[in-house]
Amino acid sequence: MTKIYLSDGTTEEFNIVGELDDRFSNNKNIVRVEIGDSVTDIGICAFCGCSNLTSVKMPDTLEFIGRYAFYACKSLKKVIIPDDIIHIGAGAFKNCYNLYEVWYDGKEGHNYFGKTHSYSDKTKLRRILKKKGVNLDRFIFNNTDLD
């Protein structure tokens, strides 16, 4: 079950199987999301423009994060990427200006981020925490404060 936490303190639950589409995009009332285990794909622009979204819990079953999935989620601060992610689309976290940390513990030698420009040049990203031996293309972190 996918849970959407709103700014008025209420929670909405949705039974989403497979792809989580863009039904939540531009919803300024969303502050937190817990994506259910039955979701394998966060679709294109799924949460884009959710400017008050501060955190997202992604399931281990997640394989894909679509293009611009979290575009302009200006309050998003920390993201934990599931270990078995296969692809993160271009601009997935673009204009997430307050994104500070990315946690990723994926498989050795995999480079799921690629040169997708997934992060904005103006992000406050300072560190990516990952398992030893996991290679991530630093190109996508150009012009950030990444250590």
Side-chain angles (χ1 to χ4, degrees):
M1 199 60 79
T2 295
K3 295 180 181 180
I4 306 293
Y5 297 85
L6 303 173
S7 57
D8 65 3
T10 60
T11 303
E12 296 181 4
E13 294 187 359
F14 300 86
N15 187 17
I16 301 170
V17 177
E19 181 179 352
L20 192 155
D21 60 21
D22 64 355
R23 72 179 85 181
F24 302 113
S25 67
N26 296 307
N27 187 329
K28 310 289 188 246
N29 296 316
I30 297 175
V31 294
R32 188 166 54 115
V33 173
E34 292 179 8
I35 299 171
D37 290 340
S38 59
V39 174
T40 57
D41 184 358
I42 298 175
I44 296 170
C45 205
F47 294 99
C48 63
C50 293
S51 57
N52 292 311
L53 178 62
T54 60
S55 68
V56 178
K57 181 180 179 198
M58 299 179 197
D60 291 336
T61 55
L62 192 67
E63 297 177 347
F64 299 94
I65 298 174
R67 290 177 291 141
Y68 303 104
F70 297 97
Y71 175 81
C73 290
K74 297 174 183 178
S75 298
L76 193 59
K77 291 184 166 87
K78 181 170 118 178
V79 174
I80 300 172
I81 305 291
D83 295 356
D84 291 328
I85 199 82
I86 293 171
H87 177 75
I88 297 176
F93 297 98
K94 186 173 183 174
N95 292 348
C96 293
Y97 297 124
N98 289 301
L99 185 60
Y100 184 78
E101 276 184 1
V102 175
W103 291 68
Y104 175 70
D105 220 16
K107 296 178 181 171
E108 185 173 336
H110 286 196
N111 184 357
Y112 297 124
F113 291 88
K115 293 185 178 181
T116 61
H117 303 282
S118 293
Y119 297 88
S120 171
D121 288 345
K122 295 179 182 176
T123 188
K124 294 179 180 178
L125 188 63
R126 292 195 180 276
R127 62 183 157 183
I128 183 162
L129 304 164
K130 61 184 180 62
K131 182 168 59 177
K132 184 178 180 180
V134 173
N135 299 315
L136 299 176
D137 193 327
R138 292 184 63 89
F139 176 74
I140 64 168
F141 301 113
N142 278 356
N143 301 317
T144 70
D145 293 327
L146 183 63
D147 295 332

